[in-house]
Coordinates of all heavy atoms in Angstrom, one line a residue:
V162 N 63.4 54.6 -114.0 CA 64.1 53.8 -113.0 C 65.4 54.4 -112.6 O 66.2 53.8 -111.9 CB 64.4 52.4 -113.6 CG1 63.1 51.6 -113.9 CG2 65.3 52.4 -114.8
G163 N 65.6 55.7 -112.9 CA 66.8 56.4 -112.5 C 68.0 56.2 -113.5 O 67.8 55.6 -114.6
S164 N 69.1 56.6 -113.2 CA 70.3 56.6 -114.1 C 71.1 55.3 -113.9 O 72.0 55.1 -114.7 CB 71.1 57.8 -113.9 OG 71.6 57.8 -112.5
D165 N 70.8 54.5 -112.9 CA 71.6 53.3 -112.7 C 71.3 52.3 -113.8 O 70.2 52.2 -114.3 CB 71.3 52.6 -111.4 CG 71.7 53.5 -110.2 OD1 72.6 54.3 -110.4 OD2 71.2 53.3 -109.1
P166 N 72.3 51.4 -114.2 CA 72.0 50.4 -115.2 C 71.0 49.4 -114.6 O 70.9 49.2 -113.4 CB 73.3 49.8 -115.4 CG 74.2 50.1 -114.3 CD 73.6 51.4 -113.7
V167 N 70.2 48.8 -115.5 CA 69.3 47.8 -115.1 C 70.1 46.6 -114.6 O 71.1 46.1 -115.3 CB 68.4 47.3 -116.3 CG1 67.5 46.2 -115.9 CG2 67.6 48.5 -116.8
P168 N 69.8 46.0 -113.4 CA 70.6 44.9 -112.9 C 70.3 43.7 -113.7 O 69.4 43.5 -114.4 CB 70.0 44.8 -111.5 CG 68.7 45.4 -111.5 CD 68.7 46.5 -112.5
D169 N 71.3 42.7 -113.5 CA 71.1 41.4 -114.1 C 69.9 40.7 -113.5 O 69.4 41.1 -112.4 CB 72.4 40.6 -114.0 CG 72.7 40.3 -112.5 OD1 72.1 39.5 -111.9 OD2 73.7 41.0 -112.0
A170 N 69.5 39.6 -114.1 CA 68.3 38.9 -113.7 C 68.4 38.4 -112.2 O 67.4 38.6 -111.5 CB 68.0 37.7 -114.6
A171 N 69.5 37.9 -111.8 CA 69.6 37.4 -110.4 C 69.5 38.5 -109.4 O 68.8 38.4 -108.4 CB 70.9 36.7 -110.2
T172 N 70.2 39.6 -109.7 CA 70.1 40.8 -108.8 C 68.7 41.4 -108.7 O 68.2 41.7 -107.7 CB 71.1 41.9 -109.2 OG1 72.4 41.3 -109.2 CG2 71.1 43.1 -108.3
L173 N 68.1 41.5 -109.9 CA 66.7 42.1 -109.9 C 65.8 41.1 -109.2 O 64.9 41.6 -108.4 CB 66.3 42.2 -111.4 CG 64.9 42.8 -111.6 CD1 64.8 44.2 -110.9 CD2 64.6 42.9 -113.1
S174 N 65.9 39.8 -109.4 CA 65.0 38.9 -108.7 C 65.2 39.0 -107.2 O 64.2 39.0 -106.4 CB 65.4 37.5 -109.1 OG 64.6 36.5 -108.5
K175 N 66.4 39.1 -106.7 CA 66.7 39.3 -105.3 C 66.0 40.6 -104.7 O 65.4 40.6 -103.7 CB 68.2 39.3 -105.0 CG 68.5 39.3 -103.5 CD 70.0 39.2 -103.3 CE 70.2 39.2 -101.8 NZ 71.2 40.1 -101.4
R176 N 66.2 41.7 -105.5 CA 65.7 43.0 -105.0 C 64.1 42.9 -105.0 O 63.5 43.4 -104.1 CB 66.1 44.1 -106.0 CG 67.6 44.5 -105.7 CD 68.1 45.6 -106.6 NE 67.4 46.8 -106.4 CZ 67.5 47.9 -107.2 NH1 68.4 47.9 -108.2 NH2 66.9 49.0 -106.9
M177 N 63.5 42.3 -106.0 CA 62.1 42.2 -106.0 C 61.6 41.3 -104.8 O 60.6 41.7 -104.2 CB 61.6 41.6 -107.3 CG 62.0 42.4 -108.5 SD 60.8 43.4 -109.3 CE 59.2 42.7 -109.1
A178 N 62.3 40.3 -104.5 CA 61.9 39.4 -103.4 C 62.0 40.1 -102.1 O 61.2 39.9 -101.2 CB 62.7 38.1 -103.4
E179 N 63.0 41.0 -101.9 CA 63.3 41.6 -100.7 C 62.5 42.9 -100.5 O 62.1 43.3 -99.4 CB 64.8 42.0 -100.6 CG 65.7 40.8 -100.4 CD 67.1 41.1 -100.5 OE1 67.5 42.3 -100.8 OE2 68.0 40.2 -100.2
A180 N 62.2 43.6 -101.6 CA 61.5 44.9 -101.4 C 60.4 45.2 -102.4 O 60.0 46.3 -102.6 CB 62.6 46.0 -101.5
G181 N 60.0 44.1 -103.1 CA 59.0 44.3 -104.1 C 57.5 44.2 -103.7 O 56.7 44.3 -104.5
A182 N 57.3 44.0 -102.5 CA 55.9 43.9 -102.0 C 55.4 45.3 -101.5 O 56.2 46.1 -101.1 CB 55.9 42.9 -100.9
N183 N 54.1 45.4 -101.5 CA 53.5 46.6 -100.9 C 53.7 46.6 -99.4 O 53.8 45.6 -98.8 CB 52.0 46.6 -101.2 CG 51.7 46.9 -102.6 OD1 52.5 47.3 -103.4 ND2 50.5 46.5 -103.0
T184 N 53.8 47.8 -98.8 CA 53.9 47.9 -97.4 C 52.5 47.9 -96.8 O 51.5 48.1 -97.5 CB 54.5 49.2 -97.0 OG1 53.8 50.3 -97.5 CG2 56.0 49.3 -97.4
P185 N 52.3 47.5 -95.6 CA 51.0 47.5 -95.0 C 50.4 48.9 -95.1 O 51.1 49.9 -95.0 CB 51.2 47.2 -93.5 CG 52.5 46.4 -93.5 CD 53.3 47.1 -94.6
M186 N 49.1 49.0 -95.3 CA 48.4 50.3 -95.5 C 48.6 51.1 -94.2 O 48.5 50.7 -93.1 CB 46.9 50.0 -95.7 CG 46.2 51.2 -96.3 SD 44.5 50.9 -96.9 CE 44.2 49.2 -96.8
G187 N 49.0 52.4 -94.5 CA 49.2 53.3 -93.4 C 50.6 53.3 -92.8 O 50.8 54.0 -91.8
D188 N 51.5 52.4 -93.3 CA 52.8 52.3 -92.7 C 53.7 53.4 -93.3 O 54.6 53.0 -94.1 CB 53.4 50.9 -92.8 CG 54.6 50.7 -92.0 OD1 55.2 51.7 -91.5 OD2 55.0 49.6 -91.8
A189 N 53.5 54.6 -93.0 CA 54.3 55.7 -93.6 C 55.8 55.6 -93.3 O 56.6 55.9 -94.1 CB 53.8 57.1 -93.1
A190 N 56.1 55.1 -92.1 CA 57.5 55.0 -91.7 C 58.2 54.0 -92.7 O 59.4 54.2 -93.1 CB 57.7 54.5 -90.3
A191 N 57.6 52.9 -93.0 CA 58.2 51.9 -93.9 C 58.4 52.4 -95.3 O 59.4 52.2 -95.9 CB 57.3 50.6 -94.0
L192 N 57.4 53.2 -95.8 CA 57.6 53.9 -97.1 C 58.7 54.9 -97.1 O 59.5 54.9 -98.0 CB 56.3 54.5 -97.5 CG 55.1 53.6 -97.9 CD1 53.8 54.3 -98.1 CD2 55.5 52.7 -99.1
R193 N 58.8 55.7 -96.0 CA 59.9 56.6 -96.0 C 61.2 55.9 -95.9 O 62.2 56.4 -96.5 CB 59.7 57.6 -94.8 CG 58.5 58.5 -95.0 CD 58.4 59.5 -93.8 NE 57.2 60.3 -94.0 CZ 56.1 60.2 -93.2 NH1 56.1 59.4 -92.2 NH2 55.0 60.9 -93.5
T194 N 61.3 54.8 -95.3 CA 62.5 54.0 -95.2 C 62.9 53.5 -96.7 O 64.0 53.6 -97.1 CB 62.4 52.8 -94.3 OG1 62.2 53.3 -93.0 CG2 63.7 51.9 -94.3
R195 N 61.9 53.0 -97.4 CA 62.1 52.6 -98.8 C 62.6 53.8 -99.6 O 63.5 53.6 -100.4 CB 60.9 52.0 -99.4 CG 60.6 50.7 -98.9 CD 59.4 50.1 -99.7 NE 59.1 48.7 -99.2 CZ 58.4 47.9 -99.8 NH1 57.8 48.2 -101.0 NH2 58.1 46.7 -99.3
I196 N 62.0 54.9 -99.4 CA 62.5 56.1 -100.2 C 63.9 56.4 -99.9 O 64.7 56.7 -100.7 CB 61.5 57.3 -99.9 CG1 60.1 57.0 -100.5 CG2 62.1 58.6 -100.5 CD1 59.0 57.9 -100.1
A197 N 64.2 56.4 -98.6 CA 65.6 56.7 -98.1 C 66.6 55.7 -98.7 O 67.8 56.0 -98.9 CB 65.7 56.7 -96.6
H198 N 66.1 54.5 -99.0 CA 67.0 53.4 -99.6 C 66.9 53.4 -101.1 O 67.4 52.5 -101.8 CB 66.7 52.1 -99.0 CG 67.1 51.9 -97.6 ND1 66.3 52.0 -96.5 CD2 68.4 51.7 -97.1 CE1 67.0 51.9 -95.4 NE2 68.3 51.7 -95.7
G199 N 66.3 54.4 -101.7 CA 66.3 54.6 -103.2 C 65.1 54.2 -103.9 O 65.1 54.2 -105.2
A200 N 64.0 54.0 -103.3 CA 62.7 53.7 -104.0 C 62.4 54.9 -104.9 O 62.6 56.1 -104.5 CB 61.6 53.4 -103.0
V201 N 61.8 54.6 -106.0 CA 61.4 55.7 -106.9 C 60.0 56.2 -106.5 O 59.2 55.4 -106.1 CB 61.3 55.1 -108.4 CG1 60.8 56.1 -109.3 CG2 62.7 54.6 -108.8
T202 N 59.8 57.5 -106.5 CA 58.5 58.1 -106.2 C 58.1 59.0 -107.3 O 58.9 59.5 -108.1 CB 58.6 58.9 -104.9 OG1 59.4 60.0 -105.1 CG2 59.1 58.1 -103.7
V203 N 56.8 59.2 -107.4 CA 56.2 60.0 -108.4 C 55.2 60.9 -107.7 O 54.4 60.4 -106.9 CB 55.4 59.2 -109.5 CG1 54.7 60.1 -110.5 CG2 56.4 58.3 -110.2
P204 N 55.2 62.2 -107.9 CA 54.1 63.1 -107.3 C 52.7 62.5 -107.6 O 52.5 62.1 -108.8 CB 54.4 64.4 -107.9 CG 55.8 64.4 -108.4 CD 56.1 63.0 -108.8
L205 N 51.8 62.5 -106.7 CA 50.5 62.0 -106.9 C 49.8 62.8 -108.1 O 49.1 62.2 -108.9 CB 49.6 62.2 -105.7 CG 50.0 61.2 -104.6 CD1 49.2 61.4 -103.3 CD2 49.8 59.7 -105.0
A206 N 50.0 64.1 -108.2 CA 49.4 64.8 -109.3 C 49.9 64.3 -110.6 O 49.1 64.2 -111.6 CB 49.7 66.3 -109.2
T207 N 51.2 64.0 -110.8 CA 51.7 63.4 -112.0 C 51.1 62.1 -112.3 O 50.6 61.8 -113.4 CB 53.2 63.3 -111.9 OG1 53.8 64.6 -111.7 CG2 53.8 62.7 -113.2
Y208 N 51.1 61.2 -111.3 CA 50.4 59.9 -111.4 C 49.0 60.0 -111.9 O 48.6 59.3 -112.8 CB 50.5 59.1 -110.1 CG 49.8 57.8 -110.1 CD1 50.4 56.7 -110.6 CD2 48.5 57.7 -109.6 CE1 49.8 55.5 -110.6 CE2 47.9 56.5 -109.6 CZ 48.5 55.4 -110.1 OH 47.9 54.2 -110.1
L209 N 48.2 60.9 -111.3 CA 46.8 61.1 -111.6 C 46.7 61.6 -113.0 O 45.7 61.2 -113.8 CB 46.1 62.0 -110.6 CG 46.0 61.4 -109.2 CD1 45.4 62.4 -108.2 CD2 45.1 60.1 -109.2
D210 N 47.6 62.4 -113.5 CA 47.6 62.9 -114.9 C 47.8 61.7 -115.8 O 47.2 61.6 -116.8 CB 48.7 64.0 -115.1 CG 48.3 65.3 -114.6 OD1 47.1 65.5 -114.2 OD2 49.2 66.1 -114.4
W211 N 48.8 60.9 -115.5 CA 49.1 59.7 -116.3 C 47.8 58.8 -116.3 O 47.5 58.3 -117.4 CB 50.3 58.9 -115.7 CG 51.6 59.6 -115.8 CD1 51.9 60.6 -116.6 CD2 52.8 59.2 -115.1 NE1 53.3 60.9 -116.4 CE2 53.8 60.1 -115.5 CE3 53.1 58.2 -114.2 CZ2 55.1 60.0 -115.0 CZ3 54.3 58.1 -113.7 CH2 55.3 59.0 -114.1
Y212 N 47.3 58.6 -115.2 CA 46.1 57.7 -115.1 C 44.9 58.2 -115.9 O 44.3 57.5 -116.6 CB 45.7 57.6 -113.6 CG 44.5 56.6 -113.4 CD1 44.8 55.3 -113.3 CD2 43.2 57.1 -113.2 CE1 43.7 54.4 -113.1 CE2 42.2 56.2 -113.1 CZ 42.4 54.8 -113.0 OH 41.4 54.0 -112.8
A213 N 44.7 59.5 -115.9 CA 43.6 60.1 -116.6 C 43.8 60.0 -118.1 O 42.8 60.0 -118.9 CB 43.5 61.6 -116.3
A214 N 45.0 59.8 -118.6 CA 45.3 59.6 -120.0 C 45.1 58.2 -120.5 O 45.1 57.9 -121.7 CB 46.8 60.0 -120.3
L215 N 44.8 57.2 -119.5 CA 44.6 55.9 -119.9 C 43.2 55.8 -120.6 O 42.3 56.6 -120.3 CB 44.6 54.9 -118.7 CG 45.9 54.7 -118.1 CD1 45.7 54.0 -116.7 CD2 46.9 54.0 -119.0
P216 N 43.0 54.8 -121.5 CA 41.6 54.6 -122.0 C 40.6 54.4 -120.9 O 40.9 53.8 -119.9 CB 41.8 53.4 -122.9 CG 43.2 53.3 -123.2 CD 43.9 53.9 -122.0
A217 N 39.4 54.9 -121.2 CA 38.3 54.8 -120.2 C 38.0 53.4 -119.8 O 37.8 53.1 -118.6 CB 37.0 55.4 -120.8
E218 N 38.1 52.4 -120.7 CA 37.8 51.0 -120.3 C 38.9 50.5 -119.4 O 38.6 49.7 -118.5 CB 37.6 50.1 -121.5 CG 38.9 50.0 -122.4 CD 39.0 51.1 -123.5 OE1 38.2 52.1 -123.5 OE2 39.9 50.9 -124.4
V219 N 40.1 50.9 -119.5 CA 41.2 50.5 -118.6 C 41.0 51.1 -117.2 O 41.1 50.4 -116.2 CB 42.6 50.9 -119.2 CG1 43.7 50.7 -118.1 CG2 42.9 50.2 -120.5
R220 N 40.6 52.4 -117.2 CA 40.3 53.0 -115.9 C 39.1 52.3 -115.2 O 39.2 52.1 -114.0 CB 40.1 54.5 -116.1 CG 41.3 55.3 -116.5 CD 41.1 56.8 -116.4 NE 39.9 57.3 -116.9 CZ 39.6 57.7 -118.2 NH1 40.6 57.7 -119.1 NH2 38.4 58.1 -118.6
R221 N 38.1 52.0 -115.9 CA 36.9 51.4 -115.3 C 37.3 50.0 -114.7 O 36.9 49.7 -113.6 CB 35.8 51.2 -116.3 CG 34.9 52.4 -116.5 CD 33.7 52.1 -117.3 NE 34.0 51.7 -118.7 CZ 34.1 52.5 -119.7 NH1 34.1 53.8 -119.5 NH2 34.4 52.0 -120.9
A222 N 38.0 49.2 -115.5 CA 38.5 47.9 -115.0 C 39.4 48.0 -113.8 O 39.2 47.2 -112.8 CB 39.2 47.1 -116.1
T223 N 40.3 49.0 -113.8 CA 41.2 49.2 -112.7 C 40.4 49.5 -111.4 O 40.6 49.0 -110.4 CB 42.2 50.2 -113.0 OG1 43.0 49.8 -114.2 CG2 43.2 50.5 -111.9
E224 N 39.5 50.5 -111.6 CA 38.7 51.0 -110.4 C 37.8 49.9 -109.9 O 37.5 49.9 -108.7 CB 38.0 52.3 -110.8 CG 39.0 53.4 -111.0 CD 38.4 54.7 -111.4 OE1 37.3 55.0 -111.0 OE2 39.1 55.5 -112.1
A225 N 37.2 49.1 -110.8 CA 36.4 48.0 -110.4 C 37.1 47.0 -109.5 O 36.6 46.5 -108.5 CB 35.8 47.2 -111.6
R226 N 38.4 46.8 -109.7 CA 39.2 45.9 -109.0 C 39.8 46.6 -107.7 O 39.9 46.0 -106.6 CB 40.4 45.4 -109.9 CG 41.4 44.6 -109.2 CD 41.1 43.1 -109.1 NE 42.3 42.4 -108.8 CZ 42.3 41.5 -107.7 NH1 41.2 41.3 -107.0 NH2 43.4 40.9 -107.4
W227 N 40.3 47.8 -107.9 CA 41.2 48.5 -106.8 C 40.6 49.7 -106.2 O 41.1 50.3 -105.3 CB 42.5 48.8 -107.4 CG 43.3 47.6 -107.9 CD1 43.4 47.2 -109.2 CD2 43.9 46.6 -107.1 NE1 44.2 46.1 -109.2 CE2 44.5 45.7 -108.0 CE3 44.1 46.5 -105.7 CZ2 45.2 44.6 -107.5 CZ3 44.8 45.4 -105.3 CH2 45.3 44.4 -106.2
G228 N 39.5 50.2 -106.8 CA 38.9 51.5 -106.3 C 39.6 52.6 -107.0 O 40.5 52.5 -107.8
P229 N 39.1 53.9 -106.8 CA 39.7 55.0 -107.5 C 41.1 55.3 -107.0 O 41.5 55.0 -105.9 CB 38.7 56.2 -107.1 CG 38.1 55.7 -105.8 CD 38.0 54.2 -105.8
P230 N 41.9 55.9 -107.9 CA 43.3 56.2 -107.6 C 43.3 57.5 -106.7 O 42.4 58.3 -106.8 CB 43.9 56.4 -108.9 CG 42.8 56.9 -109.8 CD 41.6 56.2 -109.3
P231 N 44.3 57.7 -105.9 CA 45.5 56.9 -105.8 C 45.4 55.8 -104.8 O 46.3 55.0 -104.7 CB 46.6 57.9 -105.4 CG 45.9 58.9 -104.6 CD 44.5 59.0 -105.2
G232 N 44.4 55.8 -104.0 CA 44.3 54.8 -103.0 C 45.2 55.1 -101.8 O 45.8 56.2 -101.8
R233 N 45.3 54.2 -100.9 CA 46.1 54.5 -99.7 C 47.3 53.6 -99.6 O 48.1 53.7 -98.7 CB 45.3 54.3 -98.4 CG 44.1 55.3 -98.4 CD 43.3 55.2 -97.1 NE 43.2 53.8 -96.7 CZ 42.1 53.4 -96.1 NH1 41.1 54.1 -95.8 NH2 42.0 52.1 -95.7
I234 N 47.4 52.6 -100.5 CA 48.6 51.7 -100.5 C 49.7 52.4 -101.3 O 49.5 52.9 -102.4 CB 48.2 50.4 -101.1 CG1 47.1 49.7 -100.3 CG2 49.5 49.5 -101.2 CD1 46.6 48.5 -100.9
M235 N 50.9 52.4 -100.7 CA 52.1 52.9 -101.3 C 52.1 54.4 -101.6 O 52.7 54.9 -102.6 CB 52.4 52.1 -102.6 CG 52.6 50.6 -102.4 SD 53.8 50.1 -101.2 CE 55.3 50.4 -102.1
T236 N 51.3 55.2 -100.8 CA 51.3 56.6 -101.0 C 51.7 57.2 -99.6 O 51.3 56.8 -98.6 CB 49.9 57.1 -101.3 OG1 49.0 56.8 -100.4 CG2 49.5 56.6 -102.7
V237 N 52.6 58.2 -99.7 CA 53.1 59.0 -98.6 C 53.6 60.3 -99.0 O 54.2 60.5 -100.0 CB 54.2 58.2 -97.8 CG1 55.5 58.1 -98.7 CG2 54.5 58.8 -96.5
D238 N 53.3 61.3 -98.2 CA 53.8 62.7 -98.4 C 53.5 63.2 -99.8 O 54.3 63.9 -100.4 CB 55.3 62.7 -98.1 CG 55.6 62.3 -96.7 OD1 54.8 62.5 -95.7 OD2 56.7 61.7 -96.4
G239 N 52.3 62.9 -100.3 CA 51.9 63.5 -101.6 C 52.6 62.8 -102.8 O 52.7 63.3 -103.9
R240 N 53.1 61.6 -102.5 CA 53.9 60.8 -103.6 C 53.4 59.4 -103.6 O 52.9 58.9 -102.6 CB 55.4 60.9 -103.3 CG 55.9 62.3 -103.2 CD 57.4 62.5 -103.1 NE 58.1 62.1 -104.3 CZ 58.2 62.9 -105.4 NH1 57.6 64.1 -105.4 NH2 58.9 62.5 -106.5
I241 N 53.5 58.7 -104.7 CA 53.3 57.3 -104.8 C 54.7 56.6 -104.9 O 55.5 57.1 -105.7 CB 52.3 56.9 -106.0 CG1 52.0 55.5 -105.9 CG2 52.9 57.3 -107.3 CD1 50.8 55.1 -106.7
V242 N 54.9 55.6 -104.2 CA 56.1 54.9 -104.2 C 56.0 53.7 -105.2 O 55.1 52.9 -105.1 CB 56.5 54.3 -102.8 CG1 57.8 53.6 -102.8 CG2 56.5 55.5 -101.8
I243 N 56.9 53.7 -106.1 CA 56.9 52.7 -107.2 C 57.8 51.5 -106.8 O 58.9 51.7 -106.3 CB 57.4 53.2 -108.5 CG1 56.7 54.5 -108.9 CG2 57.4 52.2 -109.6 CD1 55.2 54.4 -109.2

């Protein structure tokens, strides 16, 4: 989450309400704006390495619901936006 201290509950709740939703699929400009405002990103290769380390049953359940990673939601410029 970076080097900033974890915000108090009220601040975190406000931030989640304002910026905690996924952007519409394909809206790269909105994702780049979030990144410019401090959104955390992870290289897709790193994310896929993390995903591959999950137990097989977790991956199967995830893919049954969401399809194979990384998908097209919250991904831009070779990164996934957290």
Side-chain angles (χ1 to χ4, degrees):
V162 296
S164 60
D165 294 338
V167 176
D169 62 76
T172 302
L173 181 59
S174 179
K175 183 176 184 233
R176 286 179 64 186
M177 299 259 326
E179 291 174 350
N183 290 340
T184 59
M186 202 171 347
D188 192 347
L192 288 173
R193 289 184 186 112
T194 297
R195 283 190 182 190
I196 293 167
H198 287 102
V201 175
T202 65
V203 175
L205 288 175
T207 300
Y208 175 82
L209 293 172
D210 286 344
W211 293 343
Y212 184 82
L215 293 171
E218 63 273 11
V219 172
R220 293 191 315 268
R221 276 193 297 275
T223 300
E224 291 177 32
R226 171 91 166 123
W227 300 103
R233 298 182 321 213
I234 298 173
M235 303 304 284
T236 59
V237 67
D238 302 330
R240 303 186 72 77
I241 187 164
V242 181
I243 306 296

